[in-house]
Amino acid sequence: MTEALLKVDGLRTWLEGSAGVVRALDGVDLEIRRGETFAIVGESGCGKSITALSVARLLPETGRVVDGSVRLGDMDLLALPEAAMRNVRGERIAMIFQEPATSLNPVLTVGMQIGEVLERHIGLRGAAARRRAGELLDAVGIAESARRLDEYPFQLSGGMKQRVMIALALAGEPDLLIADEPTTALDVTIQAQVLDLLRDLQARTGMAILLITHDLGIVADMAHQVAVMYAGQIVEVATRDAFFASAQHPYSRKLFAALPGGRHRGAALAVIPGQVPPLTGEFRGCRFAGRCEHAFERCRTEEPGWTAISDGHRVRCHLRETEPAGPLGEGRSATSQALAPAAGAALLDVQDLKVHFPIRRGLLKRTVGLVRAVDGVSLEIRAGRTLALVGESGCGKTTVGKSLLQLIRPTEGNVTFDGIELTELQGNALRRRRSDFQIVFQDPYASLNPRMRVADILAEGRSALGVLGTPEQESRRIDELLNQVGLDPSARDRYPHEFSGGQRQRIAIARALAVNPRLIVCDEPTSALDVSVQAQILNLLLRLQQEMGLAYLFITHNLAVVEYLADEVAVMYLGRIVEHGTVAEVLDAPRHPYTHALLSAIPTIEGGRERIRLQGELPSPVSPPVGCHFHPRCPDVQARCRAAYPARTQLSATHSVRCFLFGDAYEDEEGRAT
Amino acid sequence: MKLVPLWTDVLVWLLVAVLAGYAWYAHRRPHLAAPWRRVSRSNAGMASLVVIGLFAAVGLTDSIHYHPLLPGTQAGAPPVYSVEARSLLDDLLTPLWSRSEKTYSAPLAIRSYSRETVELPGGEVRREFPRLRYGGRHVADERERDRDVVLTVLQGLAWGAMAWATLAAVWVTVLARLRRVTVQTMARRILRRETQVAWIAVFVTLLVAALIVTPVALLAGGYHVFGTDKVGQDVLYLALKSVRTALVIGTLTTLIMLPFAVLLGIAAGYLRGWVDDVIQYVYTTLNSIPGVLLIAAAVLMMQVYIDSHPERFPTAVERADLRLLFLCMILGVTTWTGLARLLRGEALKLRELEYIQAARAFGVRDTRIITRHILPNVMHIVLISLVMDFSFLVLTEAVLSYIGVGVDPTMNSFGTLINNARLEMARDPIVWWTLAAAFGFMFVLVLSANLFADAVRDAFDPRVRVGQAAAEGAG
């Protein structure tokens, strides 16, 4: 098994862009052996996906391979005619993509789509093909495969679709599976299921996997070999153990340092200054030199070649030619210290918040059902503190954020901000209070109006709330805001499209700050960003909190960010908070089985956690399971879990949980604790 | 001379002012100017723009109406104006409309198309094809006609080429001055397509246009280039006058429907709820009424009003003009639904976007969100549908006039020309030139409008930009 299955040599791929030729890949070499998982990591725009597309010869029209060779076994893929290449794709190389929702044809049944591949590559038809398709669905862990074959993609959930995609990829019994961010669009518990499945299939079929990801946790979990890409080149290749023990390239080490987590609490995260250089020109010297703190004269004039550190561990860095770097920084030095509950009244107090969306049908739009997006949430946030709201997609955490700000009016419950009941405020009275609480959104590309200049974006909130001063004051204020979020004042006259993702998120934060809020709801503000940019934004948020005493409601699914930033955590499941406490209490000693499972499902670079695999997916909030919402997936389910929802059990002054394992109280029909 | 501001004239010039204002506004804003730059790089776009520009020039000179001063007024006496309203184009084309023949004559003919009884000087009576009153009068010997035509065409080609060369030279010099380079450098850049604007396409189109227009203009001095119609009017003149009608219908209709479509479409999508329901019911209802019936009913009602209030319309031109404006309105009312639907969908999408949510978190009022956030972000759709609707409307006018519910019968339009040609096609010997002229002019106008619309759509299509951005992002 030492002979290479896929061998890529000096691959150079150019893309025609409007600003000239983009040298997307500039000399990529890699080797994948049978049965091995080869992971490529790197930030967006470094050429990971283009590598995969070049290997499968699926480049967009504007792209072409200008140099290099791709050999699969003893076949030269780049020399094959397109007709022969079609046989290779599917039969020897299969691909799965990030977005399962758009990778399946919505008007064909699952069985027809798998059957197509079977007929094309194996020549199976009719009953034999159907039998084989059923076996494939069984293999990817889809129950009732015979029934599922006749279903359409819209009848399947996201995780299920990705399983079908994997089944499709396996249909041709490929030697190499290219997985391009296969779990990025999925929730952590589903991600864990899919990764398990891939590992399991690899053990059974011996196929090689080229795994493309930005998540070092997944790499630690899955990979045998790791390659780090930067600006169109692989800068470091190592076995997983060598890589995680002592990554050599300064860029790799920075990626590790930028990961948030409990060990960095209170301190600024390491950031990589600057951005990936544009790939339109030729490079003299090392491509990372401009952002590297160890760069010296030679780095800028001479391109580094490969330096072997040990067997199978190579790096492109002048620094390592003389001596290799030591091991990575020690693991968790100290877990987060428990914070004493802060004195003082709550800034925001939410009691029993409910948001129900009616489902209307028919000509007269009668209400036939309710989506219980938020179903009785209580929480409080004190000034200057951070509460993290954690949960998988669809659990209602974003709806909580929006209904606190009265962007969605709550159906029931109270939201008290600084002693004022917000749910009863209307029109101008509410408008006046709006400067106190603001929101920062997830997608920095959708959250800024592309037709407005930065100065107009920042001034909008102030003019809407009627706090505009004289033009000179406003101009000064805008400069001040841009300074606060670390942007140059010259940014004011530019349009959003001229900025990178991280810079846009800074503008979005500045926009929120413009009206001097006391509370900011951060709705996944970093999940669309690369690790190094995420670190910058987290540093900024932390600094602003320390300087201005802001309170944050931090909505996220990333527990590492929670560990780094939050004081308290609330874990949501299907519209309710199931566990609530300080970061130390919840993350280090989780009590609720769901919190346990959530924590264990997250791939971490430390690894070694006991895994609890959840079955199934989040049920629909239209018809939540009777009793405890979590009982169909719970490993510790009891008979009474199916009958009633557990009431809140107070474990300590700050720690509460809703589970019968810790208390007997339950909620009656009206939601009162009994 | 006393100006007569017709309704459509005022609106046409208003539109020109709005376009000029938009050009100035967009010029200073990079995100608005960028797609237009892409249009200016497209060969087909620029070539069709030149053709549309020529048509627009004809239409605009035909959109300044006035009562001409009557000749023979005494000096010092109060001026006396003619009762008829004429346009600037009429004055420029005086030789064309003032030289009416008796009836049909073929293109470039010097004799009539139908036999007449002529009394010879000797008292003898004969039936023959008489010489035309004006067409080919300068040709003494009939056998000389072909030679004369060829010579005139050659002369026209030479003049056209010279005029084009002069214009091109002046233009390149001006460009060179603006860019502060030598004329040679500028010319080289244009030839190598290194400029922002596809000047080659512009110059080539202008050359072709010059080589067609000048010979025709020279020939029109002595002949009827496209023949004459039943009452002896020059068909070239009729076709040129029809250009204005087509342009007015194509642009003013959109201008009239735009407020409906934009306002109602965005309101439905953004406000949702009962507003959405009401607007949707309105346009569903409107769409269910057969459009031609609605238009016919409205136009006939208008005609009744015009006929019963003759005192309000001193000239036939004004009467026809009001009917034209009314036709634009009724077409606008029946065609706004398509765009409104499109904009409703877009507003539905935009209202969920985070920058709109952020604006709502600031308590920004709905009207302001619509004008500041939604409107600018749907303008590309409005623009695309505006240019694409133009050719549709020009063709619709022709169809409506053909079935008799279009413009006033006294108004020149491609539709009325075709309507007249209907009977001529059945005549023996056949009169084909009216239809051919109308067809030719309309074809060129609609084709260039479609090509331009394509170029605009390509430039504004967000998917094109996404593709480029993805290619850049992947690098």
Side-chain angles (χ1 to χ4, degrees):
Chain A
M1 289 261 229
T2 49
E3 166 224 0
L5 172 70
L6 180 79
K7 196 162 170 12
V8 176
D9 270 317
L11 186 66
R12 290 152 67 84
T13 300
W14 289 5
L15 300 173
E16 302 287 340
S18 61
V21 170
V22 176
R23 297 156 202 266
L25 299 186
D26 204 4
V28 168
D29 313 300
L30 54 91
E31 252 185 62
I32 307 178
R33 287 179 285 273
R34 275 174 206 287
E36 181 182 88
T37 301
F38 188 95
I40 301 183
V41 277
E43 295 180 280
S44 52
C46 67
K48 305 188 296 281
S49 293
I50 296 290
T51 307
L53 294 175
S54 301
V55 167
R57 283 195 23 205
L58 289 171
L59 283 171
E61 253 174 64
T62 53
R64 68 203 148 91
V65 174
V66 290
D67 196 14
S69 76
V70 178
R71 302 186 71 83
L72 183 71
D74 46 11
M75 229 185 322
D76 184 356
L77 292 188
L78 296 181
L80 284 184
E82 181 57 30
M85 192 63 209
R86 274 202 292 273
N87 282 330
V88 171
R89 278 183 224 126
E91 246 170 78
R92 304 210 50 195
I93 300 180
M95 287 189 84
I96 51 178
F97 299 95
Q98 175 173 351
E99 191 53 72
T102 52
S103 306
L104 290 171
N105 186 340
V107 298
L108 295 181
T109 62
V110 169
M112 283 161 83
Q113 300 191 42
I114 300 179
E116 205 173 54
V117 182
L118 289 174
E119 187 182 325
R120 174 80 180 80
H121 291 299
I122 311 198
L124 281 180
R125 277 159 208 277
R130 195 178 160 82
R131 205 161 44 244
R132 176 72 188 130
E135 284 166 22
L136 283 168
L137 287 191
D138 288 335
V140 295
I142 291 182
E144 299 179 83
S145 54
R147 183 168 65 83
R148 294 289 185 193
L149 280 179
D150 297 318
E151 288 192 354
Y152 290 88
F154 76 90
Q155 290 165 298
L156 307 176
S157 63
M160 214 91 103
K161 278 185 204 146
Q162 196 60 300
R163 283 167 191 268
V164 171
M165 276 309 296
I166 296 174
L168 268 171
L170 293 179
E173 293 165 7
D175 301 323
L176 173 67
L177 179 70
I178 301 177
D180 188 353
E181 305 263 5
T183 56
T184 307
L186 304 174
D187 278 318
V188 273
T189 55
I190 312 301
Q191 163 172 299
Q193 293 170 7
V194 170
L195 293 180
D196 275 350
L197 172 67
L198 284 178
R199 218 180 353 244
D200 185 43
L201 288 169
Q202 185 176 41
R204 273 191 279 155
T205 62
M207 68 182 172
I209 298 180
L210 175 60
L211 178 72
I212 291 168
T213 181
H214 65 274
D215 187 340
L216 286 173
I218 294 180
V219 175
D221 207 27
M222 296 284 295
H224 302 110
Q225 295 280 331
V226 184
V228 179
M229 267 194 102
Y230 184 78
Q233 263 188 353
I234 291 180
V235 293
E236 179 164 5
V237 182
T239 61
R240 175 187 52 186
D241 294 340
F243 182 72
F244 284 92
S246 63
Q248 294 293 322
H249 199 278
Y251 176 65
S252 319
R253 294 175 81 90
K254 276 286 190 189
L255 284 183
F256 279 105
L259 282 180
R263 66 202 138 99
H264 299 297
R265 246 190 111 73
L269 292 169
V271 297
I272 309 179
Q275 294 165 38
V276 180
L279 300 178
T280 42
E282 296 258 12
F283 285 96
R284 288 176 60 227
C286 175
R287 341 190 132 210
F288 188 60
R291 303 172 74 188
C292 182
E293 53 198 21
H294 307 295
F296 53 100
E297 199 43 46
R298 215 172 129 212
C299 299
R300 297 185 215 288
T301 52
E302 188 186 329
E303 189 167 352
W306 285 110
T307 307
I309 302 295
S310 60
D311 188 28
H313 192 167
R314 294 178 299 155
V315 62
R316 276 184 199 261
C317 182
H318 288 310
L319 208 59
R320 306 297 174 229
E321 284 162 16
T322 44
E323 74 179 304
L328 284 167
E330 64 284 355
R332 297 173 157 215
S333 52
T335 49
S336 47
Q337 62 276 26
L339 286 156
L347 181 64
L348 180 84
D349 187 15
V350 179
Q351 286 304 325
D352 206 23
L353 182 78
K354 288 186 183 173
V355 183
H356 295 176
F357 298 108
I359 306 168
R360 297 180 201 276
R361 290 259 164 75
L363 192 64
L364 296 175
K365 306 272 168 77
R366 269 179 314 150
T367 305
V368 295
L370 284 177
V371 180
R372 298 165 197 274
V374 179
D375 200 21
V377 162
S378 304
L379 46 86
E380 52 179 55
I381 304 174
R382 293 188 186 80
R385 309 303 293 271
T386 303
L387 170 69
L389 197 57
V390 182
E392 292 176 279
S393 58
C395 73
K397 52 191 195 302
T398 294
T399 312
V400 169
K402 287 188 178 170
S403 62
L404 294 188
L405 302 184
Q406 309 298 311
L407 290 177
I408 300 171
R409 296 316 283 256
T411 315
E412 254 182 68
N414 301 315
V415 179
T416 319
F417 186 89
D418 204 13
I420 294 163
E421 179 59 48
L422 294 183
T423 50
E424 286 162 11
L425 290 185
Q426 295 290 341
N428 278 327
L430 178 61
R431 194 165 285 133
R432 270 198 301 279
R433 305 294 318 174
R434 281 198 180 280
S435 66
D436 281 340
F437 36 90
Q438 277 304 314
I439 183 163
V440 173
F441 292 99
Q442 171 178 4
D443 183 358
Y445 290 88
S447 64
L448 303 176
N449 187 341
R451 316 275 174 192
M452 282 165 78
R453 291 178 312 151
V454 169
D456 298 330
I457 291 173
L458 297 185
E460 173 164 57
R462 295 171 63 76
S463 79
L465 297 172
V467 291
L468 276 180
T470 63
E472 295 82 52
Q473 283 172 345
E474 282 311 298
S475 171
R476 260 206 310 281
R477 175 78 182 132
I478 285 169
D479 288 350
E480 191 183 306
L481 285 168
L482 289 171
N483 259 328
Q484 261 175 344
V485 297
L487 287 173
D488 194 79
S490 68
R492 52 189 301 156
D493 290 323
R494 288 154 70 190
Y495 288 89
H497 70 90
E498 298 171 56
F499 297 92
S500 68
Q503 288 172 322
R504 282 160 175 247
Q505 201 60 300
R506 287 167 189 268
I507 297 171
I509 292 171
R511 170 176 62 185
L513 290 179
V515 294
N516 303 319
R518 293 151 77 190
L519 167 75
I520 297 184
V521 173
C522 301
D523 189 356
E524 310 244 16
T526 59
S527 57
L529 304 175
D530 279 317
V531 185
S532 68
V533 184
Q534 163 173 296
Q536 296 172 11
I537 297 295
L538 292 178
N539 284 345
L540 171 66
L541 287 173
L542 202 64
R543 181 168 62 82
L544 291 172
Q545 183 168 49
Q546 284 158 0
E547 285 173 13
M548 307 167 71
L550 293 171
Y552 293 136
L553 175 66
F554 208 90
I555 298 170
T556 185
H557 63 267
N558 187 339
L559 289 173
V561 173
V562 173
E563 243 178 325
Y564 170 67
L565 196 71
D567 301 305
E568 287 175 66
V569 193
V571 181
M572 265 188 96
Y573 189 78
L574 212 63
R576 299 191 179 187
I577 290 177
V578 294
E579 185 162 2
H580 187 171
T582 63
V583 167
E585 285 166 340
V586 176
L587 297 191
D588 293 340
R591 308 305 281 270
H592 197 282
Y594 177 65
T595 318
H596 260 294
L598 198 63
L599 283 171
S600 76
I602 296 166
T604 57
I605 53 171
E606 289 93 3
R609 251 190 246 188
E610 167 211 12
R611 295 187 188 282
I612 304 164
R613 288 291 184 247
L614 284 186
Q615 292 308 308
E617 302 188 7
L618 200 66
S620 155
V622 179
S623 50
V626 180
C628 174
H629 293 342
F630 187 58
H631 83 254
R633 301 173 77 191
C634 183
D636 303 316
V637 65
Q638 308 166 11
R640 56 180 167 163
C641 298
R642 300 194 175 91
Y645 203 96
R648 189 188 321 195
T649 311
Q650 209 67 34
L651 298 172
S652 73
T654 49
H655 196 179
S656 65
V657 66
R658 299 182 80 165
C659 182
F660 286 127
L661 292 176
F662 307 99
D664 295 328
Y666 59 90
E667 273 184 357
D668 61 16
E669 298 292 305
E670 276 83 47
R672 280 190 300 268
T674 315
Chain B
M1 190 171 98
K2 196 172 76 179
L3 278 180
V4 187
L6 296 181
W7 277 104
T8 50
D9 286 352
V10 173
L11 289 172
V12 163
W13 286 103
L14 190 70
L15 183 69
V16 171
V18 168
L19 283 180
Y22 171 78
W24 182 77
Y25 182 84
H27 176 69
R28 293 159 32 109
R29 280 163 182 75
H31 67 267
L32 291 175
W36 287 113
R37 273 205 203 97
R38 281 197 286 274
V39 174
S40 74
R41 272 197 290 270
S42 136
N43 285 328
M46 289 314 282
S48 51
L49 188 63
V50 170
V51 178
I52 293 174
L54 293 175
F55 275 103
V58 172
L60 288 177
T61 41
D62 202 9
S63 293
I64 304 172
H65 286 89
Y66 47 82
H67 294 300
L69 203 58
L70 277 186
T73 313
Q74 304 285 310
V80 181
Y81 295 102
S82 159
V83 286
E84 83 179 314
R86 278 221 307 260
S87 76
L88 195 57
L89 186 75
D90 293 333
D91 272 3
L92 292 174
L93 300 180
T94 310
L96 289 184
W97 61 263
S98 60
R99 298 182 310 180
S100 277
E101 305 295 343
K102 257 184 181 163
T103 180
Y104 293 119
S105 69
L108 300 174
I110 55 175
R111 283 185 177 274
S112 173
Y113 198 61
S114 47
R115 246 182 253 272
E116 271 176 46
T117 312
V118 190
E119 195 173 329
L120 291 177
E124 196 186 338
V125 173
R126 250 176 61 189
R127 282 193 55 84
E128 61 158 21
F129 297 104
R131 278 292 291 258
L132 292 177
R133 262 188 277 173
Y134 299 100
R137 266 278 286 275
H138 59 290
V139 184
D141 185 351
E142 283 178 43
R143 280 164 301 181
E144 289 289 296
R145 191 200 71 158
D146 291 355
R147 212 171 75 91
D148 182 60
V149 168
V150 171
L151 278 179
T152 318
V153 168
L154 287 179
Q155 201 185 351
L157 289 178
W159 276 111
M162 261 161 64
W164 175 80
T166 320
L167 180 76
V170 169
W171 195 242
V172 172
T173 317
V174 169
L175 281 178
R177 279 280 165 78
L178 286 176
R179 304 278 186 293
R180 293 171 202 288
V181 292
T182 61
V183 176
Q184 285 86 346
T185 323
M186 195 67 221
R188 208 176 312 123
R189 277 195 206 166
I190 289 174
L191 285 175
R192 288 187 192 157
R193 299 170 182 278
E194 285 166 1
T195 47
Q196 273 290 321
V197 179
W199 289 118
I200 286 202
V202 173
F203 287 132
V204 169
T205 320
L206 279 177
L207 177 63
V208 173
L211 293 185
I212 293 172
V213 171
T214 352
V216 168
L218 286 184
L219 280 177
Y223 300 92
H224 300 292
V225 181
F226 283 103
T228 54
D229 71 352
K230 190 172 181 181
V231 289
Q233 297 184 81
D234 189 285
V235 173
L236 176 63
Y237 171 72
L238 296 181
L240 284 174
K241 289 289 279 182
S242 305
V243 168
R244 173 178 186 267
T245 315
L247 291 178
V248 166
I249 292 264
T251 52
L252 286 194
T253 306
T254 340
L255 200 68
I256 287 165
M257 79 166 198
L258 218 55
F260 285 100
V262 171
L263 223 72
L264 295 180
I266 294 180
Y270 178 70
L271 297 173
R272 305 284 306 276
W274 64 267
V275 180
D276 189 17
D277 287 348
V278 169
I279 293 171
Q280 278 197 72
Y281 282 127
V282 168
Y283 68 57
T284 313
T285 314
L286 258 179
N287 264 2
S288 326
I289 304 173
V292 175
L293 279 187
L294 194 67
I295 293 166
V299 167
L300 291 178
M301 268 158 53
M302 188 65 197
Q303 195 57 47
V304 169
Y305 173 81
I306 292 174
D307 291 344
S308 53
H309 298 85
E311 72 283 358
R312 296 201 184 161
F313 308 100
T315 60
V317 174
E318 280 168 81
R319 213 158 38 234
D321 178 70
L322 195 72
R323 184 157 159 181
L324 174 65
L325 181 64
F326 196 71
L327 185 68
C328 288
M329 282 190 194
I330 191 70
L331 272 176
V333 169
T334 50
T335 52
W336 64 270
T337 52
L339 180 60
R341 240 181 228 176
L342 219 65
L343 292 181
R344 172 178 174 269
E346 192 67 13
L348 276 177
K349 187 186 93 189
L350 287 178
R351 79 187 293 273
E352 297 304 327
L353 279 192
E354 293 176 342
Y355 60 84
I356 307 245
Q357 298 274 327
R360 288 178 55 209
F362 283 124
V364 179
R365 282 161 212 276
D366 285 344
T367 46
R368 209 173 151 73
I369 289 185
I370 287 178
T371 51
R372 292 253 302 195
H373 291 285
I374 297 192
L375 193 60
N377 282 297
V378 298
M379 275 321 274
H380 65 284
I381 299 183
V382 173
L383 226 105
I384 292 170
S385 74
L386 212 131
V387 282
M388 293 192 92
D389 277 356
F390 174 80
S391 51
F392 162 78
L393 289 165
V394 171
L395 296 176
T396 310
E397 184 277 327
V399 172
L400 290 176
S401 300
Y402 175 75
I403 60 172
V405 293
V407 296
D408 194 84
T410 63
M411 175 162 248
N412 299 307
S413 84
F414 292 127
T416 43
L417 272 184
I418 293 169
N419 192 18
N420 294 339
R422 186 175 49 145
L423 295 172
E424 294 162 1
M425 296 297 282
R427 191 179 173 280
D428 188 49
I430 190 171
V431 174
W432 49 269
W433 47 87
T434 320
L435 191 71
F439 177 83
F441 269 78
M442 226 162 101
F443 176 72
V444 174
L445 176 62
V446 172
L447 179 68
S448 48
N450 280 343
L451 285 178
F452 186 63
D454 268 355
V456 169
R457 201 202 47 217
D458 285 351
F460 278 82
D461 195 338
R463 274 172 304 180
V464 176
R465 276 180 287 163
V466 168
Q468 282 175 357
E472 284 153 23

